[in-house]
Structures are given as structure tokens and as C-alpha cells.
Amino acid sequence: MRIEMRHLRIFVTIVNEGSMVRAAQRLGLTQPSITRAMRELEQRLSVTLLTRAGRGAAPTTVGRGFADTARQLLKAFDSALDAPGQTPPLRIAYAWSGLTPAMETLLRTWRAQNQRQDIELARMPTPLVALDTAIADLALVRDWTANPRYKDLCISREPRVVAVSAADPLATREAVSFADLAPYGLVRPSHGSTTPHHLWGHPHNNVRDRIVNDAEDCITAIATTQSVFGITPASTAAFYQHPAVVYIPLRQAPAVVSSLVWNASGRPEVDAFVDHARRTLRPVTETISASTTPRAEASTHRPACC
């Protein structure tokens, strides 16, 4: 059997999404076709590229190395197919809730001023890996710690809110404190969490704490489990709501800082977008708006929390 570009694209998408189901949805393919393509690829290479666990899929050690190679091949292939004179979009990788108010402002103003260079948001479990492997040009990262390998720009600072079940006694509060959460367990996704244990003083072995696969599992656990909570930036609560979940302002919590991160040896197009972000968001990054602290309740949207 011959390996085709579709095999590589399917494999890389599974690695990026962390799930065969989500990869099928992103590519517009059926689950059986995704499974069949992966079986053909592994048989042709005589190696195991993925480990499956529940609804998730993760690359093996061999798979991680092959994914890097496949990304480079796909990038070269896609570049070769670009029409002459057409500039490929800048891709910004994010783990969850990428369309924050600051990012929406950047996209809108950039597109109004730049007709040839578009921006693409791409959800990936590990944005920095996407940056390192050149599958993304920038990454949207929360609570970033400076690293000499990268450059960064703060684009927003947001208050934190607590997500609890609408049936929980805390759901009627106007605000909560860390002390109120002491008996509760934290629910957070395995990637992209902005809520370290030290924030509220929980021991690491709290029996109610749990780590889930993604934002969907996070909100499901909060809505259906007693005495658990999630913590998320205020913009997430404003953008994603669910009738079974209530978001409550969290007193005396440090703000969540969202940053654009890019490689120190960035492309001129990346530098141009970053300069645009500096000029456009300067008033936003210097002020924390109290109006972005919602107490959201009923809606039919699915939240991406924690």
C-alpha cells in the first residue's frame, strides 16, 4: 500500500486534536474512514503511531517523531499548492476558547487593514508544540511564563470566575472566595488549564479533584457531580454558557493573563501582526475592565471552562 498525503494529514490532525472523533469532525470525514486510514498507515510503516484510551488518542514515542516529519511534509506540500502571489494565512494555535474579546478585536481590525494576509485560529491540545513544529505561527497561551526561546505579548488580563452546578448551594451567591471552595474538588482539563492547585490551597490528593480530557468533559463533570467546581477567565463564561452551570465572580483571585507567543526567530509577517496587536490593544492591556466579570446562568451554548 502506498502512503498518501491524506494519511499524513489524518494522522497529524489526530495528534493535534487528541481524539479520532474530533479529527473526523475537523476533516469532515467519517470515523470508520479515519480508523481505516490509521490502520493502513501503521501497517505500511510497521509501527504503532497512536495509543487509544477511551475517547482520546495520543502519539507513541515513535508517533511523536513521525508527526514532526509529517507536519513538515504537509507544510511544504501545501505551500507548493498555493496560488502565485497568494499569501498563506497566519495560524494562531490555542488550547480552548480562542475567540476572546481581545482576539476578536485583533482579527477584525487586522482584516480591515490587510487584504492579502488573513489570520486563522486553530484549536490544538498543545499550542507550543504546534509552534515548535511550524504548524502554527503564533500561540495563544494563558498565564505564560517567560522563556528565552520565545517572544511574547500580553493581550488581556481577565478576572477569574467559578463554574459550579446550577443545583449547587454556591450557585445563588453573588461572589465566592477560595475559603468557600475548600470542601470542593477541582475539575480541569488535561491541557491548557489556568488553575494550579496552589491557588486555593487544596492538597494534590483531594479525592474530589479530577482531570478530564477536554472542555466538554469538564463542563459535563461540573454539571453532574456534587461538590466540584471549575475556574475560568471571565470572557470564557461570557462567551460559553450552559443551563446546568452557573459562573460566579471569585474574590481576591489573581487575573488570568493571555499572551501571544511566537518564536524568537519569527517571520516578518508575524512581526507585523504583533506590531498591530501592540498598537490596537494597548488601552486594553493596561486596564482590567470590571464589566468583563459576568455572573452568567442560562444559555444553550457549551462552555469551555477551567
Side-chain angles (χ1 to χ4, degrees):
M1 190 214 72
R2 184 177 61 183
I3 295 179
E4 301 173 0
M5 280 296 173
R6 65 181 178 89
H7 292 97
L8 303 184
R9 200 174 300 280
I10 288 171
F11 171 61
V12 168
T13 304
I14 293 171
V15 173
N16 291 343
E17 295 292 329
S19 163
M20 286 192 173
V21 173
R22 289 196 295 271
Q25 293 171 344
R26 176 170 286 274
L27 294 171
L29 301 174
T30 64
Q31 179 69 33
S33 65
I34 290 282
T35 302
R36 182 169 58 254
M38 282 308 308
R39 183 171 60 250
E40 292 171 351
L41 183 59
E42 290 181 324
Q43 288 176 351
R44 175 63 180 83
L45 297 175
S46 300
V47 295
T48 300
L49 297 173
L50 294 171
T51 57
R52 287 81 163 175
R55 296 192 303 172
T60 61
T61 301
V62 173
R64 284 194 294 272
F66 185 72
D68 292 342
T69 301
R71 288 187 181 102
Q72 296 294 340
L73 290 172
L74 288 169
K75 185 174 182 179
F77 179 76
D78 291 340
S79 296
L81 295 181
D82 286 335
Q86 182 180 8
T87 304
L90 289 176
R91 176 173 288 186
I92 301 176
Y94 67 96
W96 49 268
S97 192
L99 195 60
T100 64
M103 186 58 67
E104 189 278 330
T105 298
L106 282 181
L107 294 179
R108 174 170 43 79
T109 54
W110 175 262
R111 286 167 176 163
Q113 300 174 26
N114 297 269
Q115 300 300 317
R116 295 184 67 252
Q117 180 78 67
D118 199 6
I119 302 293
E120 177 182 286
L121 293 178
R123 185 175 63 83
M124 301 177 185
T126 51
L128 288 182
V129 172
L131 194 62
D132 290 340
T133 55
I135 199 170
D137 302 291
L138 301 102
L140 175 63
V141 182
R142 269 81 174 195
D143 287 350
W144 169 251
T145 300
N147 185 315
R149 292 175 54 197
Y150 307 98
K151 295 182 180 180
D152 60 86
L153 173 69
C154 168
I155 63 172
S156 66
R157 295 180 176 88
E158 302 178 59
R160 282 178 160 90
V161 295
V162 173
V164 296
S165 166
D168 193 277
L170 291 180
T172 60
R173 301 279 192 89
E174 291 300 320
V176 296
S177 66
F178 288 117
D180 296 322
L181 301 173
Y184 286 63
L186 173 73
V187 179
R188 60 191 179 114
S190 57
H191 296 288
S193 174
T194 57
T195 314
H197 279 80
H198 67 77
L199 265 185
W200 67 96
H202 272 190
H204 286 273
N205 61 351
N206 187 308
V207 295
R208 290 196 177 101
D209 288 353
R210 61 177 64 184
I211 297 177
V212 296
N213 289 328
D214 52 28
E216 181 176 351
D217 288 346
C218 180
I219 202 61
T220 299
I222 291 170
T224 59
T225 309
Q226 292 184 343
S227 300
V228 297
F229 70 98
I231 300 181
T232 186
S235 66
T236 303
F239 192 79
Y240 297 99
Q241 300 175 23
H242 192 284
V245 171
V246 172
Y247 297 94
I248 313 165
L250 180 59
R251 297 190 188 98
Q252 298 181 331
V256 177
V257 177
S258 294
S259 299
L260 283 176
V261 178
W262 65 101
N263 285 315
S265 56
R267 295 158 42 199
E269 298 89 349
V270 173
D271 293 337
F273 181 74
V274 171
D275 288 342
H276 172 77
R278 281 197 183 93
R279 294 192 305 270
T280 304
L281 296 180
R282 186 173 181 180
V284 176
T285 56
E286 291 176 353
T287 304
I288 302 174
S289 173
S291 63
T292 60
T293 309
R295 190 179 187 285
E297 298 189 28
S299 176
T300 58
H301 294 291
R302 177 180 302 157
C305 81
C306 311

